[in-house]
Amino acid sequence: MRIMFFLLGLLVFHSQAKPLSYYFPSGIEFDQSITKPSEVLGYEVGQWHVRHDQLVNYLTVLAQQSPRMSISTIGYSHERRPLILLSVTSKSNQNNLEQLRQTHLESLNTDKDRSESPNVIWMGYSVHGNEPSGSNAALLLAYYLAAAKGEEINALLENNIILIDPALNPDGLARFAHWANSNRGLNLSADPSHREHVEAWPSSRTNHYWFDLNRDWLLLQHPESQARVEQFHRWKPSVLTDFHEMGTNSSYFFQPGIPSRTHPITPIQNQTLTHKLAEYHAETLDAEQQLYFTQESFDDFYVGKGSTYPDINGAVGILFEQASSRGHVQESINGDLYFHRTIKNQLLTSLSTFKGAMANKAALMAYQQSFYLDAQELASKEDVKGYVVSKGADKARFEAFIELLSRHQITVYEITKSIKVAGKTYQPKDIFVPLSQAQYRLVKAVFSTQKNFADNTFYDVSGWTLPHAFDLNFAPIKSRWGLKTAAEPRKVIPLRSQNEFVPDAYAYAFSWDEYTAPKLLNELLKEGIDARVALQSFSARTSQGEQTFSQGTIVIPAGVQTNSDWQTRFAEMHQRYAIEVFAIRSGLTAQGIDLGSRLMMPLSQPKVLLVGGKGTSQYEVGEMWYHLDRHVGIAPTLIEQHRLARADLSRYTHIIMVDGNYRGLSKQVKTAIMSWVKKGGIIWGHKRGAQWLIEQQLLNVETISRKEMRAQFESKNMPFSERESLAAKQRIAGAIFNARADLSHPLAFGLEDEILPVFKNSTWVMKPNAQPFTSVLKYTDSPLLSGYADQRNVTQIAASSVLIADEYGKGVAIAMTDNPVFRGYWYGTSKLVNNALFFANALK
């Protein structure tokens, strides 16, 4: 009887599986010597969610078996999962792959006919881990390319080199496969409320640090993106696909999207070719009687996404969005949506991409060639010839900026003679970024300060100017007259220590200007080395002569150290962080405070509690975690909101509350936090985290709510058709605003000048604070620098407060209207967080 029930269970289980033939168009003959997916996985595709290790294992087997295929590891994710890239082409091409690659790249710089050369097509899947149909389809696509037989596949492989990036986000994919599989029963539940379809916080959409990797193509903060973009430029494909999922009650989307939401620097021919490829996707889905839509929703404006980055790099990027089963089956308005159906649609549009690319091969290759050949001519017609960028005092930040440009193949040159541009003098060692180069369009994009747009509805940010994010002064130049630059392009210079460590000094000092200074300071404090911050400037006699030290300088007095080997440890750290350390000879200074002054404030190592959990933004929690971990060397304690009642707050010096809904916090937790601050704790909140601080009266600040900001816009008698347009005007999707800092304030230490660009994607406003000594940062009178914001919003934001800090009992409360560590690349405003970690006690 037990055996009968077991067999009955197996019958139910296997009745849910779809055979391999289900996924492919009829009539395809396969090489039976090539291993099928089920022979490695132990189940049919779609029956379970494939784990990343299984995916890698199967594709490795295919590469070993098929002469058409080679596999390479191009990097590793944060969790050390391999990032693999499959190169698929005919056997003869495979034997000559590197030469074909080099010939392909060389041909982009000539007008030589390329029609006989293989085209390069990049197939990318599942940048969001909980959109897994793409990666599961990639497994089937690889089998097809390895095992299919006949004239059609032979022609495809002879005429193309197909690169398969099967899992753009291995860590997220692995998390979601575990979630979906562990909540799957023998009998599937289609109920949307079933746990399988409702992930816990944080979702698997993101990578290890809870970043959306689809926004990281331009910013390159993560190893997944860095490896991918390096290979993109190594191969320069003419087509790149980006397979996603969307809400369960949707159908299927493929580009072109809304024409008015394409970035204006994207060539018209790119859109023409996108339309041509779309015909093949439509034909394929029509044959399957699958619902789809094209010219609505989504946009192609922000150039840092998987479907837009290719568009300004000579390729045609195509976004695909499949309605998601978010598990194995889920109810939808179109009936039960099975995982296997979502996989099949992604596979079929992968195949239709091949058909479209084959039919338009000559046009795609000619377009890509002209994209680069026309760059110099187009640049010559521009009013702007390029951009000068000031190095500033922070070497680490400047090198990080140059490295980012270099990863995007943008060429820069060192300035060799001073030049005055727009009232500012740019010095030797600053850089010039010419517009006249192969990456002409990308240079325009990363330096863009556009503020007016034909269509003001943005799916993502409208402003992302890279030098603003790095807080680097820059200016466009309209003439190269008087500009002297080095003959050879500027390379990234590895940071090295600027001087030898001098033993047996009275004290040591290093500047807070350097971006790596907080990480060095934190390690010193972790090692038990006594360090202090100068709250006022001073001049002192050093081994290098008389030196002036600004406020924020870190001083390590020898006489107060208790560890016998502290100098040895400090010398090693000094080399590792490449920061110039000055050996001070005497505690008596020539000017300013002496080294024994009460304004030399002792510092302690921060112990940070970062509030997360349901209600908080997983992106902003992740961004703060990433910043603290990677840039400061702090391991924050992440505690979800629902666990705060059990937390011993006395263990922590700081609490950080990012954007989120905190209304569910109990009275017990609120009381505990307020008591903790009153006893000496330091609490930081930004966006809705800051709003919560004000609501709890930890800060006395007047605000303008989002509701009040929306009320500025007249909507009476407005037709329904204008609802979306109104919403676009009321919000700030993501723009850059100018702010002015009080440089004497400890939370502004390390800023080179009083003007600081701030990224803003919220309409919540803190009114100017009349209370003295509390306002660290205010928006300027004309604050909009880059991106879209309606003038009514800009007017309200002008001169309002950005960052306010004040005492509360023996502690300090700090509120900021915006996220200072947005997407990990805001090197400028993230210094404000560092200062709050180490210097907030100076406010008491």
Side-chain angles (χ1 to χ4, degrees), residues 385-389 411-415 430-435 477 480 483 485:
K385 301 306 176 187
Y387 301 86
V388 285
V389 184
T411 304
V412 308
Y413 295 86
E414 203 166 76
I415 295 172
D430 293 344
I431 59 171
F432 171 64
V433 186
L435 210 55
I477 64 170
R480 294 191 60 161
L483 177 67
T485 64

PDB file of all heavy atoms in Angstrom, residues 385-389 411-415 430-435 477 480 483 485:
ATOM      1  N   LYS A 385      33.969  71.292 -26.434  1.00  0.00           N
ATOM      2  CA  LYS A 385      35.072  70.457 -26.908  1.00  0.00           C
ATOM      3  C   LYS A 385      35.478  69.392 -25.895  1.00  0.00           C
ATOM      4  O   LYS A 385      36.207  68.464 -26.221  1.00  0.00           O
ATOM      5  CB  LYS A 385      36.291  71.323 -27.233  1.00  0.00           C
ATOM      6  CG  LYS A 385      36.022  72.376 -28.299  1.00  0.00           C
ATOM      7  CD  LYS A 385      35.448  71.749 -29.571  1.00  0.00           C
ATOM      8  CE  LYS A 385      35.073  72.805 -30.604  1.00  0.00           C
ATOM      9  NZ  LYS A 385      34.369  72.201 -31.772  1.00  0.00           N
ATOM     10  N   GLY A 386      35.026  69.556 -24.670  1.00  0.00           N
ATOM     11  CA  GLY A 386      35.357  68.592 -23.636  1.00  0.00           C
ATOM     12  C   GLY A 386      35.152  69.206 -22.269  1.00  0.00           C
ATOM     13  O   GLY A 386      34.543  70.280 -22.131  1.00  0.00           O
ATOM     14  N   TYR A 387      35.678  68.520 -21.243  1.00  0.00           N
ATOM     15  CA  TYR A 387      35.452  68.949 -19.864  1.00  0.00           C
ATOM     16  C   TYR A 387      36.762  68.897 -19.090  1.00  0.00           C
ATOM     17  O   TYR A 387      37.535  67.925 -19.209  1.00  0.00           O
ATOM     18  CB  TYR A 387      34.424  68.043 -19.182  1.00  0.00           C
ATOM     19  CG  TYR A 387      33.090  68.020 -19.891  1.00  0.00           C
ATOM     20  CD1 TYR A 387      32.855  67.136 -20.946  1.00  0.00           C
ATOM     21  CD2 TYR A 387      32.077  68.894 -19.529  1.00  0.00           C
ATOM     22  CE1 TYR A 387      31.632  67.125 -21.613  1.00  0.00           C
ATOM     23  CE2 TYR A 387      30.855  68.892 -20.186  1.00  0.00           C
ATOM     24  CZ  TYR A 387      30.645  68.005 -21.232  1.00  0.00           C
ATOM     25  OH  TYR A 387      29.433  67.998 -21.895  1.00  0.00           O
ATOM     26  N   VAL A 388      37.008  69.945 -18.316  1.00  0.00           N
ATOM     27  CA  VAL A 388      38.136  69.932 -17.392  1.00  0.00           C
ATOM     28  C   VAL A 388      37.603  69.564 -16.016  1.00  0.00           C
ATOM     29  O   VAL A 388      36.511  69.989 -15.619  1.00  0.00           O
ATOM     30  CB  VAL A 388      38.861  71.291 -17.368  1.00  0.00           C
ATOM     31  CG1 VAL A 388      39.697  71.473 -18.618  1.00  0.00           C
ATOM     32  CG2 VAL A 388      37.892  72.447 -17.201  1.00  0.00           C
ATOM     33  N   VAL A 389      38.371  68.758 -15.305  1.00  0.00           N
ATOM     34  CA  VAL A 389      37.949  68.274 -13.984  1.00  0.00           C
ATOM     35  C   VAL A 389      39.092  68.497 -13.005  1.00  0.00           C
ATOM     36  O   VAL A 389      40.232  68.104 -13.267  1.00  0.00           O
ATOM     37  CB  VAL A 389      37.580  66.777 -14.013  1.00  0.00           C
ATOM     38  CG1 VAL A 389      37.050  66.326 -12.652  1.00  0.00           C
ATOM     39  CG2 VAL A 389      36.561  66.483 -15.104  1.00  0.00           C
ATOM     40  N   THR A 411      38.699  58.090 -22.547  1.00  0.00           N
ATOM     41  CA  THR A 411      40.079  58.543 -22.501  1.00  0.00           C
ATOM     42  C   THR A 411      40.161  59.939 -21.884  1.00  0.00           C
ATOM     43  O   THR A 411      39.391  60.830 -22.244  1.00  0.00           O
ATOM     44  CB  THR A 411      40.685  58.575 -23.920  1.00  0.00           C
ATOM     45  OG1 THR A 411      40.562  57.270 -24.506  1.00  0.00           O
ATOM     46  CG2 THR A 411      42.148  58.970 -23.893  1.00  0.00           C
ATOM     47  N   VAL A 412      41.093  60.117 -20.950  1.00  0.00           N
ATOM     48  CA  VAL A 412      41.307  61.422 -20.322  1.00  0.00           C
ATOM     49  C   VAL A 412      42.786  61.776 -20.427  1.00  0.00           C
ATOM     50  O   VAL A 412      43.650  60.900 -20.562  1.00  0.00           O
ATOM     51  CB  VAL A 412      40.850  61.429 -18.850  1.00  0.00           C
ATOM     52  CG1 VAL A 412      39.428  60.910 -18.725  1.00  0.00           C
ATOM     53  CG2 VAL A 412      41.775  60.604 -17.964  1.00  0.00           C
ATOM     54  N   TYR A 413      43.078  63.077 -20.335  1.00  0.00           N
ATOM     55  CA  TYR A 413      44.451  63.565 -20.444  1.00  0.00           C
ATOM     56  C   TYR A 413      44.756  64.494 -19.271  1.00  0.00           C
ATOM     57  O   TYR A 413      43.897  65.264 -18.825  1.00  0.00           O
ATOM     58  CB  TYR A 413      44.657  64.318 -21.760  1.00  0.00           C
ATOM     59  CG  TYR A 413      44.520  63.446 -22.976  1.00  0.00           C
ATOM     60  CD1 TYR A 413      43.268  63.214 -23.547  1.00  0.00           C
ATOM     61  CD2 TYR A 413      45.626  62.824 -23.541  1.00  0.00           C
ATOM     62  CE1 TYR A 413      43.131  62.393 -24.657  1.00  0.00           C
ATOM     63  CE2 TYR A 413      45.503  62.002 -24.648  1.00  0.00           C
ATOM     64  CZ  TYR A 413      44.246  61.781 -25.204  1.00  0.00           C
ATOM     65  OH  TYR A 413      44.118  60.969 -26.296  1.00  0.00           O
ATOM     66  N   GLU A 414      45.981  64.422 -18.794  1.00  0.00           N
ATOM     67  CA  GLU A 414      46.409  65.286 -17.708  1.00  0.00           C
ATOM     68  C   GLU A 414      46.717  66.679 -18.236  1.00  0.00           C
ATOM     69  O   GLU A 414      47.369  66.826 -19.286  1.00  0.00           O
ATOM     70  CB  GLU A 414      47.635  64.695 -17.031  1.00  0.00           C
ATOM     71  CG  GLU A 414      47.839  65.157 -15.609  1.00  0.00           C
ATOM     72  CD  GLU A 414      48.858  64.307 -14.874  1.00  0.00           C
ATOM     73  OE1 GLU A 414      50.072  64.495 -15.147  1.00  0.00           O
ATOM     74  OE2 GLU A 414      48.450  63.449 -14.059  1.00  0.00           O
ATOM     75  N   ILE A 415      46.251  67.689 -17.538  1.00  0.00           N
ATOM     76  CA  ILE A 415      46.554  69.067 -17.893  1.00  0.00           C
ATOM     77  C   ILE A 415      47.984  69.380 -17.446  1.00  0.00           C
ATOM     78  O   ILE A 415      48.394  69.016 -16.341  1.00  0.00           O
ATOM     79  CB  ILE A 415      45.551  70.030 -17.228  1.00  0.00           C
ATOM     80  CG1 ILE A 415      44.140  69.793 -17.778  1.00  0.00           C
ATOM     81  CG2 ILE A 415      45.959  71.485 -17.432  1.00  0.00           C
ATOM     82  CD1 ILE A 415      43.062  70.553 -17.045  1.00  0.00           C
ATOM     83  N   ASP A 430      45.303  68.213 -12.961  1.00  0.00           N
ATOM     84  CA  ASP A 430      43.878  68.065 -13.224  1.00  0.00           C
ATOM     85  C   ASP A 430      43.730  67.364 -14.571  1.00  0.00           C
ATOM     86  O   ASP A 430      44.729  67.117 -15.264  1.00  0.00           O
ATOM     87  CB  ASP A 430      43.182  69.425 -13.240  1.00  0.00           C
ATOM     88  CG  ASP A 430      43.160  70.091 -11.867  1.00  0.00           C
ATOM     89  OD1 ASP A 430      43.398  69.392 -10.865  1.00  0.00           O
ATOM     90  OD2 ASP A 430      42.922  71.312 -11.807  1.00  0.00           O
ATOM     91  N   ILE A 431      42.520  67.036 -14.981  1.00  0.00           N
ATOM     92  CA  ILE A 431      42.369  66.281 -16.227  1.00  0.00           C
ATOM     93  C   ILE A 431      41.435  66.984 -17.215  1.00  0.00           C
ATOM     94  O   ILE A 431      40.602  67.812 -16.831  1.00  0.00           O
ATOM     95  CB  ILE A 431      41.845  64.850 -15.978  1.00  0.00           C
ATOM     96  CG1 ILE A 431      40.488  64.872 -15.267  1.00  0.00           C
ATOM     97  CG2 ILE A 431      42.872  64.009 -15.246  1.00  0.00           C
ATOM     98  CD1 ILE A 431      39.809  63.510 -15.194  1.00  0.00           C
ATOM     99  N   PHE A 432      41.612  66.616 -18.463  1.00  0.00           N
ATOM    100  CA  PHE A 432      40.735  67.056 -19.546  1.00  0.00           C
ATOM    101  C   PHE A 432      40.130  65.817 -20.188  1.00  0.00           C
ATOM    102  O   PHE A 432      40.833  64.853 -20.504  1.00  0.00           O
ATOM    103  CB  PHE A 432      41.521  67.854 -20.591  1.00  0.00           C
ATOM    104  CG  PHE A 432      40.748  68.160 -21.844  1.00  0.00           C
ATOM    105  CD1 PHE A 432      39.611  68.964 -21.806  1.00  0.00           C
ATOM    106  CD2 PHE A 432      41.144  67.632 -23.069  1.00  0.00           C
ATOM    107  CE1 PHE A 432      38.887  69.232 -22.966  1.00  0.00           C
ATOM    108  CE2 PHE A 432      40.430  67.908 -24.230  1.00  0.00           C
ATOM    109  CZ  PHE A 432      39.307  68.715 -24.177  1.00  0.00           C
ATOM    110  N   VAL A 433      38.803  65.828 -20.342  1.00  0.00           N
ATOM    111  CA  VAL A 433      38.088  64.720 -20.980  1.00  0.00           C
ATOM    112  C   VAL A 433      37.557  65.235 -22.318  1.00  0.00           C
ATOM    113  O   VAL A 433      36.567  65.973 -22.354  1.00  0.00           O
ATOM    114  CB  VAL A 433      36.927  64.221 -20.104  1.00  0.00           C
ATOM    115  CG1 VAL A 433      36.289  62.974 -20.720  1.00  0.00           C
ATOM    116  CG2 VAL A 433      37.391  63.948 -18.681  1.00  0.00           C
ATOM    117  N   PRO A 434      38.209  64.877 -23.419  1.00  0.00           N
ATOM    118  CA  PRO A 434      37.771  65.400 -24.722  1.00  0.00           C
ATOM    119  C   PRO A 434      36.473  64.753 -25.186  1.00  0.00           C
ATOM    120  O   PRO A 434      36.232  63.566 -24.923  1.00  0.00           O
ATOM    121  CB  PRO A 434      38.926  65.053 -25.652  1.00  0.00           C
ATOM    122  CG  PRO A 434      39.563  63.860 -25.029  1.00  0.00           C
ATOM    123  CD  PRO A 434      39.394  64.011 -23.545  1.00  0.00           C
ATOM    124  N   LEU A 435      35.660  65.524 -25.868  1.00  0.00           N
ATOM    125  CA  LEU A 435      34.442  64.980 -26.464  1.00  0.00           C
ATOM    126  C   LEU A 435      34.781  64.188 -27.718  1.00  0.00           C
ATOM    127  O   LEU A 435      34.088  63.234 -28.072  1.00  0.00           O
ATOM    128  CB  LEU A 435      33.486  66.132 -26.794  1.00  0.00           C
ATOM    129  CG  LEU A 435      31.983  65.843 -26.754  1.00  0.00           C
ATOM    130  CD1 LEU A 435      31.566  65.267 -25.422  1.00  0.00           C
ATOM    131  CD2 LEU A 435      31.199  67.110 -27.052  1.00  0.00           C
ATOM    132  N   ILE A 477      34.489  73.185 -21.763  1.00  0.00           N
ATOM    133  CA  ILE A 477      35.269  74.205 -22.464  1.00  0.00           C
ATOM    134  C   ILE A 477      34.849  74.226 -23.928  1.00  0.00           C
ATOM    135  O   ILE A 477      34.633  73.182 -24.539  1.00  0.00           O
ATOM    136  CB  ILE A 477      36.789  73.985 -22.322  1.00  0.00           C
ATOM    137  CG1 ILE A 477      37.236  72.674 -22.966  1.00  0.00           C
ATOM    138  CG2 ILE A 477      37.210  74.018 -20.864  1.00  0.00           C
ATOM    139  CD1 ILE A 477      38.737  72.557 -23.052  1.00  0.00           C
ATOM    140  N   ARG A 480      39.798  74.767 -27.275  1.00  0.00           N
ATOM    141  CA  ARG A 480      41.003  74.172 -26.713  1.00  0.00           C
ATOM    142  C   ARG A 480      42.172  75.152 -26.730  1.00  0.00           C
ATOM    143  O   ARG A 480      43.286  74.793 -26.381  1.00  0.00           O
ATOM    144  CB  ARG A 480      41.351  72.891 -27.467  1.00  0.00           C
ATOM    145  CG  ARG A 480      40.315  71.792 -27.290  1.00  0.00           C
ATOM    146  CD  ARG A 480      40.780  70.445 -27.804  1.00  0.00           C
ATOM    147  NE  ARG A 480      41.980  69.969 -27.128  1.00  0.00           N
ATOM    148  CZ  ARG A 480      42.372  68.700 -27.134  1.00  0.00           C
ATOM    149  NH1 ARG A 480      41.656  67.786 -27.768  1.00  0.00           N
ATOM    150  NH2 ARG A 480      43.484  68.341 -26.526  1.00  0.00           N
ATOM    151  N   LEU A 483      44.728  75.427 -23.841  1.00  0.00           N
ATOM    152  CA  LEU A 483      44.713  74.179 -23.073  1.00  0.00           C
ATOM    153  C   LEU A 483      45.923  73.328 -23.445  1.00  0.00           C
ATOM    154  O   LEU A 483      46.109  72.971 -24.609  1.00  0.00           O
ATOM    155  CB  LEU A 483      43.426  73.403 -23.354  1.00  0.00           C
ATOM    156  CG  LEU A 483      43.299  72.036 -22.675  1.00  0.00           C
ATOM    157  CD1 LEU A 483      43.176  72.194 -21.165  1.00  0.00           C
ATOM    158  CD2 LEU A 483      42.099  71.278 -23.233  1.00  0.00           C
ATOM    159  N   THR A 485      47.865  69.762 -22.662  1.00  0.00           N
ATOM    160  CA  THR A 485      47.680  68.451 -22.030  1.00  0.00           C
ATOM    161  C   THR A 485      48.836  67.531 -22.381  1.00  0.00           C
ATOM    162  O   THR A 485      49.574  67.767 -23.343  1.00  0.00           O
ATOM    163  CB  THR A 485      46.372  67.784 -22.476  1.00  0.00           C
ATOM    164  OG1 THR A 485      46.435  67.527 -23.884  1.00  0.00           O
ATOM    165  CG2 THR A 485      45.171  68.657 -22.172  1.00  0.00           C
TER     166      THR A 485
END
